[in-house]
Amino acid sequence: MYRYIYLFILLSLGVLSNAQPSARFGVKGGVSVASATFNTDVFRSDNITGYHLGPVIEAMMGRGGLGLDAAILFSRKGFDTDGVTVSNSYLEVPVNLKFKLGTPLINPYIAVGPYIDFLIGGDKNWELHRKAENILSQIKTQSFGAGLSFALGADLLNHLQLTFNYNFSLTDNYKTFDANDLDSYKGRNYICALSAAYFF
């Protein structure tokens, strides 16, 4: 899967290499609703509120058309279950191919691209308050993840950018185990986020 992420980045850079993109830097932050889905109904997972914050760079071929953006974000995500909130801190690096309409004042865009994240804070192992039959009462958080992001947004007066993102993981973010099958239950993050970025 990682080769596809690298290929996406290389192809995106190749698109921009035939033009003279203008780059700008900014700061991005926002709130998110995060949850996790497991490959079987071991337990119910509920949403939690998270957040993200960090620097962002955008390179566009003009006010309208194709471009790229990338960020390095500190983010919190996880899920809630059985009275336990599983919440961890990540360093998240999204890279998106972006298309803008190029209209004045309000400039809508769509974007898609991969992201990777690294666990940097929070407990790696979480204990549940109850023990389901044949299920160990521990959730293990994985140290590395990767996924896809889809975004809709708009530039307002050139400096402010508002975005709605839907992110879903392509790798397993959590594991919990059946006593007879150590690979039985795996969970992945799903996140909806609203963010604002200010470009200098």
Side-chain angles (χ1 to χ4, degrees):
M1 185 198 64
Y2 306 121
R3 73 182 73 176
Y4 297 116
I5 293 177
Y6 299 141
L7 181 61
F8 174 87
I9 294 172
L10 289 174
L11 287 175
S12 300
L13 291 174
V15 170
L16 293 180
S17 66
N18 294 323
Q20 297 296 324
S22 59
R24 58 180 184 163
F25 298 87
V27 177
K28 180 178 182 178
V31 296
S32 61
V33 176
S35 188
T37 300
F38 285 77
N39 62 334
T40 189
D41 294 329
V42 186
F43 45 72
R44 189 183 71 179
S45 62
D46 296 318
N47 298 334
I48 66 167
T49 301
Y51 59 88
H52 54 274
L53 179 67
V56 61
I57 181 173
E58 180 186 78
M60 300 296 300
M61 292 189 293
R63 182 170 177 82
L66 288 175
L68 282 178
D69 71 22
I72 301 175
L73 303 174
F74 175 84
S75 65
R76 293 283 293 183
K77 48 192 172 184
F79 63 96
D80 187 84
T81 184
D82 294 324
V84 177
T85 298
V86 177
S87 180
N88 295 95
S89 300
Y90 294 86
L91 187 67
E92 185 174 317
V93 183
V95 178
N96 293 306
L97 183 63
K98 180 179 287 186
F99 178 79
K100 292 186 178 182
L101 290 182
T103 55
L105 299 181
I106 299 176
N107 190 4
Y109 69 84
I110 58 173
V112 61
Y115 69 86
I116 56 175
D117 57 29
F118 305 90
L119 180 68
I120 59 173
D123 292 335
K124 192 172 179 65
N125 298 306
W126 297 82
E127 300 293 333
L128 300 181
H129 291 328
R130 67 169 177 80
K131 191 171 184 178
E133 184 179 359
N134 295 327
I135 307 298
L136 300 183
S137 59
Q138 188 177 87
I139 299 169
K140 182 179 180 182
T141 305
Q142 303 301 295
S143 299
F144 174 82
L148 279 178
S149 175
F150 297 91
L152 293 172
D155 288 349
L156 305 177
L157 302 176
N158 199 40
H159 290 286
L160 181 64
Q161 192 173 93
L162 301 179
T163 308
F164 171 78
N165 276 86
Y166 176 68
N167 299 349
F168 64 91
S169 182
L170 297 176
T171 60
D172 297 322
N173 302 110
Y174 310 100
K175 290 185 179 180
T176 188
F177 305 117
D178 185 293
N180 300 314
D181 182 0
L182 295 183
D183 287 320
S184 53
Y185 306 123
K186 301 174 182 179
R188 298 184 177 188
N189 282 322
Y190 292 85
I191 297 166
C192 293
L194 287 172
S195 62
Y198 184 83
F199 289 93
F200 305 105

